[in-house]
Amino acid sequence: MAFWSSTSVFTSKVPRKILFMFTLSLSVTYLFYSLMSCYNSFQFQENYVYQGRLATEETTFVTLREKLYSTSSQVYFDEEFIERTATEQTIAVSSVRNSVGIDERTSGWARAQAATTSSSSSSMMSRAAAGAGAAAAAGEQEHPEFSTTDSELRRVVNCTSDYGVKTLPQAIIIGVKKGGTRALLEALRVHPDVRAVGNEPHFFDRNYERGLDWYRELMPSTLEGQITMEKTPSYFVTNSAPKRIHSMARDIKLIIVVRNPVTRAISDYTQTLSKRPEIPTFEVLAFKNRTLGLIDASWSALRIGIYALHLESWMQYFPLSQMHFVSGERLIVDPAGEMAKVQDFLGLKRIVTDKHFYFNKTKGFPCLKKPEDSSTPRCLGKSKGRTHPKIDPDVIRRLHKFYKPFNMMFYQMTGQNFQWELEEDGNSPGSRD
C-alpha cells in the first residue's frame, strides 16, 4: 500500500505532458539508433541511403546481382557438417517466420542467405523450441541449403525485404546414385545464377502427395535471371517420376550423371557396407547362382546401372534435347570441361572454370579451391572417397559382360559413347566412391 501511495503522489506532482515528452524522446532515440545500425550495413555505394528500405527495388536488384558475381563462393561443403546442420536449418526456417514476420517470399531468400556459415548454425540452435514442428516435417531431407554470398551481403539481408521469389525448379539433377551428383551440385552452386536446395527433396518419389506448394516452399528464393535447381538421384529409377515431373513442367531441363555401372555398383555397395558391416559380400549379393554365373539383376545396386532401361521411361515424356548426360569419370579427371558443358546446357555464362578446382590426392577426386575468406580448402566429407573393397576380378569381368549390351543400347539412345568397355580389365577405375 505504501508503494502505491508514493506512486500516486509522484504522478500527481509530475505533469502528464512532461511524462509524455520524456517517453516520446526515448522512443525517437531508440528508433534513430536502430536505423543507424541498419544503415551501417549498406556499403555498396554512397548514393544508397537507407530510409527504412533501399532507395528503389530496381537498383537493389542490380547491386545484389553484381555482389553475387564478385563474391561467389569456391568451396565444396563438408558433408558431415551438412548432415549435422540439416535439422538446424529447418528449425531456423520456422523461427524466422514466427519471430520476424516477413512475408513468405522474403523469408525464403533471407533464410537461405543467412545460413552460410557455421556461426549462423549456433544461432539456429537457439531457435530450436520455436521450430521443433518444422524439423519433424523435414525428417527425410539429407542436406541443408547454403548460400554462395559473403558475410556483408548476409548483413544486408537482415535490413531488407521483398527480394527474391520461390519458384518451382527449372532444372533437376535426376540421377544417378553414386555417379557424382553431389560433386556436380556443389560445383554448380558456385555459379551466382544458380540457386539450389542442398538437401534431396524426394518429392517425385516419396513426398508427391504433399503437393506442389509444399515442394515450392523447399526451394530457395531467387532473383530475376537465376535458375532454381534440386537433385534427387532416385528419380531416375522411379517409374512414376517422369510423368509427374512432366505434368509440373514440360520444358524442364534434366541432368543425369552416369558412371561405369560396374564401378557404380561397387561404390553403392561400399556405402551400404559402411553403414551395415554385417551384410554379405559383394560377390554373394551380385549372383543368384555364382557357379552358373547368373547375375541377380533385382539387386538395386546392379539394377540402377541398367541405364537404358530407365532412360526409356524418361524418353516417353521428354526429348533428348531437354536432357544432359554428365560422365562421372570425366567429372573427376576434367571437372572444368564437364562443368562447361553443363553451364552451356543450362544457358549460363561459363563462370565455373578450371581455376575453381584442384585435385585432392587423398580423396582421389577434385575439390573446389577455398574462397578468399576461408583459411583452408574444403572437399566433400568423409562419406565421399571411401576405398572400395577388393572384388574378385572374375566377378568384375562377368558384370562387364552382363552390362555390355545395355551399355551399347544406352550409347545409341543418347548418341554418346562413354567407353566403359575400356575399363573391363580390372577394379582400378573409380576405386573410391
Side-chain angles (χ1 to χ4, degrees), residues 74-110:
Q74 302 173 3
V75 58
Y76 277 159
F77 294 100
D78 189 301
E79 286 204 347
E80 282 193 338
F81 173 76
I82 290 174
E83 293 171 359
R84 185 171 65 251
T85 56
T87 303
E88 297 168 7
Q89 166 71 4
T90 309
I91 290 172
V93 171
S94 177
S95 180
V96 167
R97 284 194 183 139
N98 294 336
S99 62
V100 181
I102 52 183
D103 65 39
E104 284 187 8
R105 298 186 341 182
T106 304
S107 67
W109 190 76

Side-chain angles (χ1 to χ4, degrees), residues 152-350:
E152 181 178 288
L153 187 57
R154 290 195 297 273
R155 289 197 300 271
V156 173
V157 171
N158 295 329
C159 299
T160 59
S161 60
D162 300 327
Y163 303 113
V165 59
K166 291 189 175 185
T167 65
L168 293 170
Q170 295 89 48
I172 304 179
I173 301 174
I174 61 173
V176 298
K177 180 184 179 184
K178 307 310 296 179
T181 57
R182 171 57 57 180
L184 176 64
L185 180 70
E186 294 305 328
L188 274 172
R189 290 170 72 183
V190 171
H191 200 293
D193 283 339
V194 172
R195 296 284 292 135
V197 60
N199 46 8
E200 295 178 0
H202 285 281
F203 175 65
F204 295 103
D205 57 352
R206 302 180 189 171
N207 297 299
Y208 194 64
E209 72 284 352
R210 294 176 181 263
L212 287 175
D213 289 338
W214 176 87
Y215 184 48
R216 184 186 291 107
E217 273 302 299
L218 298 180
M219 299 299 116
S221 294
T222 54
L223 301 174
E224 183 179 355
Q226 290 182 318
I227 293 176
T228 301
M229 291 187 65
E230 70 115 320
K231 92 161 180 84
T232 304
S234 56
Y235 290 163
F236 187 64
V237 297
T238 301
N239 291 333
S240 57
K243 182 178 180 179
R244 290 173 174 178
I245 294 178
H246 184 265
S247 66
M248 178 191 73
R250 296 185 178 185
D251 59 347
I252 198 166
K253 294 184 177 181
L254 306 172
I255 300 176
I256 305 100
V257 188
V258 290
R259 183 183 185 185
N260 185 320
V262 178
T263 319
R264 197 222 65 83
I266 298 172
S267 180
D268 198 335
Y269 172 80
T270 303
Q271 183 182 55
T272 304
L273 183 65
S274 68
K275 299 175 182 178
R276 298 169 52 197
E278 75 282 0
I279 63 172
T281 64
F282 181 89
E283 289 84 350
V284 169
L285 293 172
F287 289 93
K288 287 184 177 180
N289 188 310
R290 176 72 181 276
T291 304
L292 298 177
L294 298 178
I295 303 295
D296 188 358
S298 65
W299 183 31
S300 63
L302 297 184
R303 186 171 179 81
I304 291 174
I306 309 176
Y307 302 138
L309 175 67
H310 307 299
L311 180 59
E312 189 176 18
S313 299
W314 290 90
M315 291 183 70
Q316 293 178 17
Y317 293 92
F318 298 99
L320 278 176
S321 60
Q322 287 176 226
M323 303 182 199
H324 180 72
F325 299 90
V326 177
S327 167
E329 288 81 13
R330 288 198 294 269
L331 191 60
I332 294 176
V333 299
D334 182 21
E338 286 300 296
M339 286 303 302
K341 297 175 185 176
V342 174
Q343 290 171 97
D344 290 346
F345 172 70
L346 295 175
L348 298 171
K349 182 179 179 181
R350 288 189 180 183

Side-chain angles (χ1 to χ4, degrees), residues 111-122:
R111 175 172 71 242
Q113 302 294 336
T116 57
T117 63
S118 58
S119 61
S120 64
S121 297
S122 59

